[in-house]
Amino acid sequence: MARTAFFWDESSFWHSGGNYALTMPVGGLVQPLAAGGLPESPETKRRLKNLMDVTGLMGELDAQSAASASQDDLRRVHPESYLREFKEMSDAGGGELGLRTPFAGGGFELAALSAGLAKGALYSVLEGRARNAYALSRPPGHHCLPDWPNGFCLLSNLGIAIKAARAAGLVGRVAVVDWDVHHGNGTEAIFIDDPETLTVSLHQEHNYPLDTGDANVVGEGKAKGANINLPLPPGAGHVTYLEAMERIVAPALRRFKPDVIVIACGFDASAFDPLGRMMATAETFAEMTRMVMELADDLCDGRLMMAHEGGYSEVHVPFCGHAVLQQMASSTTAAPDPWVDTLKARQPNARVNAAFSEMLRDLEAFHLG
Ligand code: ZN
């Protein structure tokens, strides 16, 4: 039986934002951080791979790299003018385009590789070579708009992968579930008028971007109803995430009947994340993974692909990621979250607040009524 495929490439960990700390350069002004000044550092991702090496889980996965996304692949999502500007700046040693997307020399090629790893993972599932697949790559992709990179995302990895697979005749209906703590604004924008692509984002309300992610953005034209935003209150934890998954995400996917389920898998809803204020544990991610695997089994012969997005805690992301990959591979090789009891004891008492309950009822009425 086909195994869980794991797409990664050491070069992907070499993507660098240079001397940069969000709004000011760190070089020469203050002591540089070990991570180089950018929260989106290689360490959070490399340490997940390292932990899987040490526990032995890597040996149970079908690990491989992939070809970079081609120019044709990139052009299906991004305008020529943006790709040219990005490539020229990358060739000139790097710089920054858009908002919070610094890159060093060679950043264009590394971003194309990151998109290629996502494409490789999706193809491996659609072509039946893998039971399911995970792409551990950087830079991430879910914030990137066609012509405006933002939030560490330089190319839309999932947009590129999905449109390439469609062009190759490999897939029709695709459901994207984004559980990164930030809104999947790029994926939403790319598929906002596409009725064949259901985009769902669970995110901390008013985190990033500040002006997107409202529950009343539901898709446009023929795609009305094919975008679901679930803005969660800060502090939401295990129970709230599972409630949102059970009440909205699972029934919406059952209605949509996708040919494949794609997850924008960010780990920044972790209780330790510096860029989120949520209370998820590794068990939260494992349980959400179990749920989407069950949905995939029921709806699309188990076809499930995940692309790594955000997650900035060097100590917690590896355990959360290990829990997801262990589930995907149905493995007994575990690396239990060392903080799970501490975090469980500190989950919010209120299952949800009143405003959140009302929003869930509204979403149920609109999308599932
Ligand atoms: Zn994020």
Side-chain angles (χ1 to χ4, degrees), residues 52-347:
M52 295 197 300
D53 279 333
V54 170
T55 62
L57 184 57
M58 271 303 290
E60 301 172 36
L61 308 176
D62 187 7
Q64 55 202 288
S65 186
S68 297
S70 69
Q71 279 292 322
D72 283 347
D73 293 336
L74 305 185
R75 281 194 207 106
R76 285 187 201 98
V77 174
H78 301 284
E80 193 70 43
S81 55
Y82 169 61
L83 295 172
R84 196 180 320 114
E85 193 181 8
F86 182 10
K87 169 76 170 141
E88 283 172 8
M89 195 177 279
S90 170
D91 287 350
E96 183 171 11
L97 294 165
L99 179 69
R100 294 177 185 160
T101 48
F103 54 91
F108 180 85
E109 283 72 22
L110 290 171
L113 174 61
S114 189
L117 290 163
K119 179 187 164 189
L122 183 59
Y123 274 48
S124 74
V125 169
L126 295 176
E127 292 175 342
R129 286 177 282 115
R131 177 188 175 211
N132 49 35
Y134 194 98
L136 179 68
S137 68
R138 24 188 319 277
H142 74 141
H143 291 307
C144 190
L145 277 69
D147 60 351
W148 195 69
N150 69 106
F152 314 135
C153 299
L154 288 154
L155 294 171
S156 173
N157 299 336
L158 285 179
I160 289 162
I162 292 166
K163 291 200 175 199
R166 283 229 177 94
L170 290 173
V171 74
R173 295 170 76 77
V174 179
V176 182
V177 178
D178 185 328
W179 62 48
D180 186 282
V181 84
H182 305 107
H183 177 227
N185 57 314
T187 319
E188 174 186 275
I190 288 162
F191 296 110
I192 192 73
D193 57 358
D194 176 3
E196 296 286 287
T197 309
L198 173 68
T199 45
V200 184
S201 177
L202 301 96
H203 47 268
Q204 182 187 330
E205 63 181 350
H206 302 148
N207 181 324
Y208 182 85
L210 273 173
D211 58 350
T212 68
D214 282 354
N216 61 10
V217 179
V218 297
E220 293 172 3
K222 283 184 182 154
K224 200 166 183 182
N227 185 69
I228 303 177
N229 281 328
L230 278 153
L232 311 178
H238 188 82
V239 173
T240 306
Y241 268 89
L242 297 190
E243 170 149 12
M245 290 291 290
E246 276 163 16
R247 277 179 60 182
I248 307 292
V249 181
L253 261 59
R254 288 188 188 283
R255 260 188 178 216
F256 183 75
K257 298 184 174 61
D259 300 319
V260 63
I261 298 174
V262 169
I263 308 295
C265 185
F267 292 105
D268 34 18
S270 137
F272 292 101
D273 201 275
L275 302 189
R277 291 295 174 267
M278 300 305 228
M279 290 292 285
T281 73
E283 288 185 356
T284 313
F285 291 103
E287 189 57 27
M288 292 197 293
T289 302
R290 193 197 60 71
M291 288 177 68
V292 293
M293 286 173 73
E294 191 178 294
L295 285 163
D297 282 342
D298 289 351
L299 299 171
C300 46
D301 293 328
R303 286 190 289 272
L304 173 70
M305 174 267 181
M306 296 201 193
H308 199 101
E309 297 285 355
Y312 307 100
S313 167
E314 292 181 13
V315 296
H316 205 207
V317 167
F319 291 98
C320 296
H322 197 288
V324 166
L325 267 305
Q326 185 193 340
Q327 277 290 330
M328 288 179 82
S330 303
S331 168
T332 54
T333 305
D337 182 344
W339 299 278
V340 73
D341 292 334
T342 302
L343 293 175
K344 269 184 175 169
R346 286 162 179 77
Q347 293 290 311

